[in-house]
Amino acid sequence: MTQKDDDGGLMLNITTNPVPKHKKVQNKRKVEKHVEVTEDFQPKAKKKKLLSQDLKKESALSSGEGQSKGRISSLFANNPEIPTVSHKKVKPAVEDVFSKESFESLNIHKYIVQNLKQNFGITETTKVQQMSIPILLEGKDALIRSQTGSGKTLAYALPILHLLQQFEPKITRADGIKALVVIPTRELALQTYECFNKLVKSFAWLVPGLLVGGEKKKSEKARLRKGINILVGTPGRLLDHVENTKCVNLNTVQWFVLDEADRLLDMGYEKDVASLVNALEAQQSGFNRPTFRRQTILLSATMTPKVERLAGLTLNEPSRIDALSGGGGEGGDTSDQMTIPKSLKQSYIVTPPKLRLVTLAAIIHQKCQIEQGSRKMLVFMATQDMVDYHTELLTTVLTDSAEYFKLHGSMTQTERTTIFKTFRAAQSGVLFCTDVAARGLDLPNVEWIVQYTAPTTPSDYVHRVGRTARAGLAGSALIFLAPSELPFIALLEHKNIKLMEETMENCLNNLRLLPLEGADEFQRDRRGGGPTTEAAATALQLQFENSLYDQKKLHSLACKAYQSWVRFYASYPRESREAFDFKSLHLGHYAKSFALRDPPSTIKGMTNSKNEDQHNGYKERFNRAAKKPKQVRSKKFSEFDSGISFKKKKNKSDL
């Protein structure tokens, strides 16, 4: 083939391929129009520059401008619509917490009454105490149902203490275990033990004890050998000592208490409880049969079929005590209705998956920093990995908003006890926790309960929100729901639980007051009052994502948290599947809520690798994407791709 050169001469072109057509050089801006650049894949050296560019693009998108520039990682684009919820008429069940009775009118020892006034600051009984104490003083078995935070611990502790101090001659350590109290969680057992410790100050010869595990059995055996009169413990550890410690003798037990019975059964302790009951029967039968009649007390905030079956197995002609005084919603099932304190304000917030993390940060900043009245907050999450990750992330990014704590079942007993006591004594702070903190715990000054992950059942919802508004005090509760999860509202309304809607926009507006990196580049509103809500939310999300980019440990925690959340979500019980359907999830959007820029298919295998440089590989993908931006167009790199290959597994309780 021959061609003419510029001088009109001939030029020989020797090639076996056809001559490529010449393309007209395009304007740089037009090229950018066809290249989708996302902050999900950028090298570290370009972060500050890209932050400025991204904020400008986000502002343009929020105002309807610049749509042709195509920024696929926008928090506010391609989100599902938030539907309108139609609420049915609900009449919440009402239970009065306090009665007009004083403790003096219940014929309990005057030293106990004085102790309650001086060390507990109370003189009047709650309704469940007023109903229960006279019956328990008569020695009858009892099945007690009352709302959480109504004083059930004192309802059985006071009669036991009053009757123990009447013994003649006085009880000594050598007389053995007189009262055995079984509690589902270590923190609640510790709280109950401390309550008994305060109550026996007037009767120094009575000795409470605690067995919850987490320490050497040798130390526990030493305490048991010295002698304990009131033994409080968790089922597994108690059964271990009953079966393996020779000095544990149940023949002297006169009071057997199963507190939070519904939770004991939900946590899978049914076999352990049955074994404890069998051990009691075996040691108190035949030639060892005692002269006294053992009194069994079962307490629960909800009355489930499992609790009814347990009552039938353990109680002998029990008195049924129910503090519920009214209620019943229109068309609702009043036989298993649930009671919420009248002083509790309940609400829900509907957030698209990508906006969950920034919305949580906005709420924490608002309640713990802007509003002076809010002192403490509990944030419930589904798994231990989620608790670890979010505590670390918010401690890294939102350092000025609050002091952060965490509590879950995989922490050592020393850590759990320290956190529990520290948070109780603190004036303010945010405690990230699993359902290990959902039952019975009395944490002073907790004004907000946030359920970042929805509970598996309405019963779990009731117990979670019961950590605030206790004993007549005011409190608030907020639950996060995605648009697809709104049927859970109907489940709660069926149980006579009424919630009000909180708008996401109102919460996100608080982010405009945060001192965020790149604030000078924010789009100002028309009044010049600061950055737009969209720009502030995007800046905060970028700070979260950049923190994962910079820190290998934090990125690994994020991947583990995301994986554990996926497993948890697939384990919702069948009766809740209408609201929590795993098949309806967009896993790419939910990965964004963990500040992850990886596609779900990549996240799945990341934490299983033993390669110490896996985080470097995470960075390398960013660098390759920056050098070859067209690769970002690939579907596997899009945050909207839900390409995780998931095999359903059953998830055990995270306690």
Side-chain angles (χ1 to χ4, degrees), residues 244-264:
N244 302 304
T245 304
K246 293 182 180 180
C247 61
V248 176
N249 182 12
L250 301 183
N251 189 47
T252 57
V253 173
Q254 292 186 228
W255 290 273
F256 182 50
V257 181
L258 294 170
D259 199 357
E260 298 287 347
D262 52 349
R263 188 56 175 166
L264 282 169

Side-chain angles (χ1 to χ4, degrees), residues 101-110 112-114 116-117 123-125:
E101 296 281 345
S102 66
F103 285 103
E104 294 176 344
S105 65
L106 298 179
N107 297 320
I108 58 177
H109 197 281
K110 64 179 181 179
I112 298 177
V113 176
Q114 293 174 3
L116 291 172
K117 184 176 181 179
T123 56
E124 293 184 348
T125 66

